[in-house]
Amino acid sequence: MSALPMMKRRYAQFNPKRKLLTPSEAEVRVAELQVLASRARYGGNPEHKRNPGDFGLVPPSDPRQGKSLCDVARIFKRTEAEALLRAGLRKGLVSDRMDGEWPKNV
């Protein structure tokens, strides 16, 4: 009987640092978010796609087990993913943390 290594859970609980802007904060930043929405592009990550659709991704040859897959959302077209990303930015559905000029999460 071979012993397989136990997979460590990535997150034991909800990340309290992951918060959306409040509606009043998003209202103040509406012009900035409109500009970001016009510049936003979606590339995708092959580790999160079993079916790469038209994203031009090559699934990894040795995917990490336990990696969450975006396929559950049934978005297989890059244009649809970009439209949703831009809509999230326009509506202020972004995190309060930034990575440079971009919100950490949309």
Side-chain angles (χ1 to χ4, degrees):
M1 180 168 137
S2 66
L4 296 175
M6 293 292 292
M7 283 188 51
K8 181 179 153 188
R9 284 180 57 164
R10 188 164 179 198
Y11 299 108
Q13 61 187 3
F14 175 75
N15 182 347
K17 294 181 284 184
R18 209 174 263 185
K19 297 178 190 166
L20 292 177
L21 290 179
T22 65
S24 59
E25 291 170 325
E27 192 173 311
V28 169
R29 296 177 54 188
V30 70
E32 171 193 355
L33 293 171
Q34 293 293 331
V35 170
L36 290 178
S38 70
R39 294 177 43 213
R41 301 288 178 267
Y42 183 84
N45 181 335
E47 289 188 341
H48 289 283
K49 299 293 252 173
R50 178 176 295 130
N51 302 303
D54 73 345
F55 291 88
L57 302 172
V58 176
S61 59
D62 188 20
R64 287 182 8 202
Q65 288 191 0
K67 197 73 166 167
S68 62
L69 296 175
C70 302
D71 299 5
V72 173
R74 303 188 57 77
I75 300 169
F76 299 108
K77 295 185 185 273
R78 177 183 234 132
T79 56
E80 183 181 3
E82 283 188 356
L84 290 168
L85 178 64
R86 291 181 179 137
L89 283 159
R90 278 191 224 92
K91 292 179 180 186
L93 299 174
V94 299
S95 61
D96 61 355
R97 295 173 44 210
M98 301 294 285
D99 186 4
E101 65 180 322
W102 293 92
K104 190 80 173 157
N105 304 97
V106 178

